[in-house]
Amino acid sequence: MITEVAKRFSAEEPQDLSLILPEKLQGELEPFVKGELAKAVGKGVEASFSKKVAGGFSIGPKDGSYFISLTEESFKALIGEYMRPATKKILFG
């Protein structure tokens, strides 16, 4: 999924990307970011790893002008607005 989102950024206008990923997955994802992802987008990709990101990722231009958040927290906040309280409790506790 990360690769597909990153490709969308570089399809219109190639640009360096900044990516924030869960710190607990740094060992697994760092080689992927530096190798496969960098080749797929054809530009620089800078990854940082944060304890604040439990799952998912945030991605955007390296200049920080905007970002797309596909983290666990942002998904819960977005989808939670449209759920009934009972459904929200079942899904998210």
Side-chain angles (χ1 to χ4, degrees):
M1 183 174 195
I2 295 170
T3 303
E4 290 306 312
V5 173
K7 283 180 183 178
R8 301 286 181 201
F9 277 98
S10 62
E12 293 179 17
E13 183 179 318
Q15 54 191 311
D16 291 336
L17 298 176
S18 178
L19 185 62
I20 303 171
L21 298 159
E23 186 178 65
K24 65 184 178 187
L25 299 176
Q26 184 171 0
E28 296 173 45
L29 294 177
E30 200 162 31
F32 160 75
V33 171
K34 291 181 178 179
E36 185 180 326
L37 185 59
K39 280 189 242 176
V41 298
K43 288 296 279 181
V45 180
E46 179 182 287
S48 60
F49 296 86
S50 173
K51 289 180 184 178
K52 293 180 182 180
V53 178
F57 62 96
S58 292
I59 188 169
K62 193 173 178 180
D63 67 10
S65 57
Y66 68 94
F67 69 95
I68 296 174
S69 181
L70 297 169
T71 63
E72 184 177 326
E73 294 81 12
S74 64
F75 175 76
K76 285 181 182 178
L78 176 66
I79 199 78
E81 291 182 34
Y82 300 99
M83 295 181 157
R84 294 180 180 204
T87 306
K88 190 186 294 188
K89 186 175 181 179
I90 291 169
L91 292 176
F92 304 125

